[in-house]
Amino acid sequence: MIVILKPDHNEKQLESLVEWLNAKGIEVYPSTGTMHTVLGLIGDTSVIDVSLIMALDIVEDVKRIQEPYKNVNRKFHPLDTVVEISEGVKIGGGNLTLIAGPCSVESEEQICEVAQRVKESGATIMRGGAFKPRTSPYAFQGLRDEGIRLLLKAREITGLPIVTEIMDADQLPLFDEVDMIQVGARNMQNFELLKRLGAIDKPILLKRGLCATYEELLMSAEYIMAGGNNRIVLCERGIRTYETYTRNTLDIAAIPVLKTLTHLPVIVDPSHATGRSALVAPLSLASVAAGADGLIIEVHNDPTHALCDGAQSLTPQAFDELAKTLFEMEQFLHSRKANK
Ligand code: PEP
Ligand code: MN
């Protein structure tokens, strides 16, 4: 349930409302926007008589909400959440953030070269898998601890913060220095892992599961937020459909839908969504047009020899051209908004 207060509400009356709700076992989370203060009520709100609250002078409206997620719900938190990844590097709040790098970290030369190139093109966060969730146990599994060490080396050289995937809560100590932790599609509903990530103070990139609904994705984010970590970025990375031409099917509608349902930033991974490098540019443009806060794109210095996902990786040159177009499009969307 949420209670919307009148803009000029009296603080004393607000205090007594909060005390009254607390006495009924309800926790109250105020969120102050430019126009209104909204109270998020958490607990068994079925014990509350809505008409009693409605009758209070300070209350403008009361809404019972049906959604099972509360912390991530935009109704509780009307303003967009902006997640700071490292000093000055943010996701959300109207700017387009580009995350780029190889599927997997393969060597020091590879990760450092790609990181430098994507930085020159305007990426502000680099990606690179150290622990790789592969369908086949015989496929390259990632450099693991050594991969994280190499990512940190590339960060030292380029200054770019890093995002890399965790596959098990036991790996957490290895992620101490990592700027943002990715929960991959296959782990979206690893609830024990989500609980552990809820207890740390680090940004989390939560990717949508291959067959997950919007509500399931939001409930997974809710697990993290319920633990106290609200630094979450959602990622639409394509879902399983009957189409086999592409690796997955990019669900463009997920962007505006999620941005309506939640205050968390939403980014798109057009690389895993399509599995084909030729489709990365058009789907990146479509994602930005649909309101994505950022993109995570696989870039490899030598895609044909990549140890993982070469077919969907852009060359640094192709990424550079795409980034230019994307920033032009961002400018266009900003100026259109400003002229409205
Ligand atoms: C990845 O980003 O390297 C990855 C494996 O992504 P996903 O979990 O979306 O398949
Ligand atoms: Mn990949």
Side-chain angles (χ1 to χ4, degrees):
M1 186 184 290
I2 59 167
V3 177
I4 301 158
L5 300 179
K6 287 185 181 153
D8 57 343
H9 63 266
N10 172 302
E11 288 299 322
K12 271 223 136 26
Q13 283 178 312
L14 172 59
E15 262 171 43
S16 61
L17 172 60
V18 171
E19 265 170 33
W20 180 73
L21 289 165
N22 288 162
K24 291 194 172 298
I26 307 289
E27 289 175 38
V28 181
Y29 294 90
S31 169
T32 306
T34 41
M35 295 291 289
H36 285 101
T37 295
V38 173
L39 307 179
L41 274 47
I42 298 192
D44 184 8
T45 51
S46 58
V47 298
I48 293 174
D49 182 349
V50 173
S51 58
L52 277 180
I53 301 183
M54 269 305 281
L56 297 174
D57 266 358
I58 57 168
V59 173
E60 184 155 301
D61 203 1
V62 182
K63 291 190 196 304
R64 276 202 184 278
I65 50 167
Q66 257 74 60
E67 295 91 349
Y69 46 89
K70 296 188 174 174
N71 290 291
V72 304
N73 201 321
R74 196 182 270 285
K75 286 179 188 161
F76 279 172
H77 190 306
L79 301 182
D80 284 348
T81 286
V82 178
V83 179
E84 181 157 68
I85 312 303
S86 67
E87 219 186 302
V89 178
K90 294 175 180 158
I91 305 181
N95 293 311
L96 179 68
T97 304
L98 297 187
I99 306 174
C103 178
S104 311
V105 181
E106 297 172 9
S107 68
E108 181 170 333
E109 297 69 45
Q110 175 240 20
I111 190 66
C112 292
E113 184 189 334
V114 177
Q116 192 56 46
R117 295 286 302 273
V118 299
K119 180 185 177 179
E120 285 160 13
S121 304
T124 51
I125 303 170
M126 85 175 122
R127 63 151 289 146
F131 294 94
K132 294 304 305 174
R134 304 301 301 277
T135 304
S136 165
Y138 309 116
F140 175 58
Q141 303 286 308
L143 295 182
R144 306 174 71 85
D145 325 24
E146 174 65 1
I148 296 203
R149 195 185 67 75
L150 297 178
L151 281 166
L152 295 173
K153 181 91 201 224
R155 178 177 72 184
E156 202 181 299
I157 293 170
T158 60
L160 287 183
I162 55 183
V163 57
T164 191
E165 178 168 356
I166 194 167
M167 284 171 54
D168 191 285
D170 288 348
Q171 294 161 353
L172 257 176
L174 294 169
F175 285 70
D176 271 357
E177 300 279 305
V178 168
D179 301 280
M180 181 181 216
I181 301 180
Q182 173 174 322
V183 176
R186 290 153 194 84
N187 260 317
M188 189 204 85
Q189 288 189 315
N190 180 342
F191 300 118
E192 287 305 316
L193 175 62
L194 300 177
K195 281 187 215 167
R196 291 284 294 278
L197 297 176
I200 63 170
D201 182 24
K202 233 183 230 308
I204 308 296
L205 177 60
L206 180 63
K207 298 185 89 174
R208 181 179 182 188
L210 278 69
C211 300
T213 63
Y214 301 143
E215 187 167 296
E216 285 163 343
L217 171 61
L218 292 170
M219 289 306 285
S220 291
E222 185 75 16
Y223 260 93
I224 300 171
M225 225 169 143
N229 185 357
N230 55 11
R231 301 167 75 195
I232 307 164
V233 174
L234 302 176
C235 180
E236 161 57 36
R237 44 78 72 209
I239 48 170
R240 275 281 161 87
T241 67
Y242 51 80
E243 183 54 71
T244 54
Y245 185 88
T246 46
R247 185 174 178 180
N248 292 288
T249 298
L250 181 63
D251 178 9
I252 288 280
I255 308 158
V257 171
L258 289 170
K259 287 185 69 78
T260 307
L261 298 176
T262 180
H263 50 86
L264 297 173
V266 178
I267 70 166
V268 170
D269 174 346
S271 309
H272 291 90
T274 61
R276 291 170 179 253
S277 58
L279 298 178
V280 170
L283 292 192
S284 296
L285 293 167
S287 303
V288 174
D293 294 295
L295 294 161
I296 179 165
I297 296 176
E298 286 189 344
V299 178
H300 196 286
N301 51 339
D302 184 7
T304 44
H305 293 103
L307 295 182
C308 185
D309 287 351
Q312 67 193 35
S313 300
L314 297 186
T315 59
Q317 176 63 30
F319 177 72
D320 189 66
E321 284 159 25
L322 173 59
K324 284 196 176 81
T325 315
L326 289 167
F327 290 133
E328 274 170 26
M329 187 159 172
E330 185 195 18
Q331 285 302 315
F332 167 75
L333 292 172
H334 276 318
S335 57
R336 206 168 149 265
K337 217 173 186 175
N339 292 334
K340 262 195 179 170

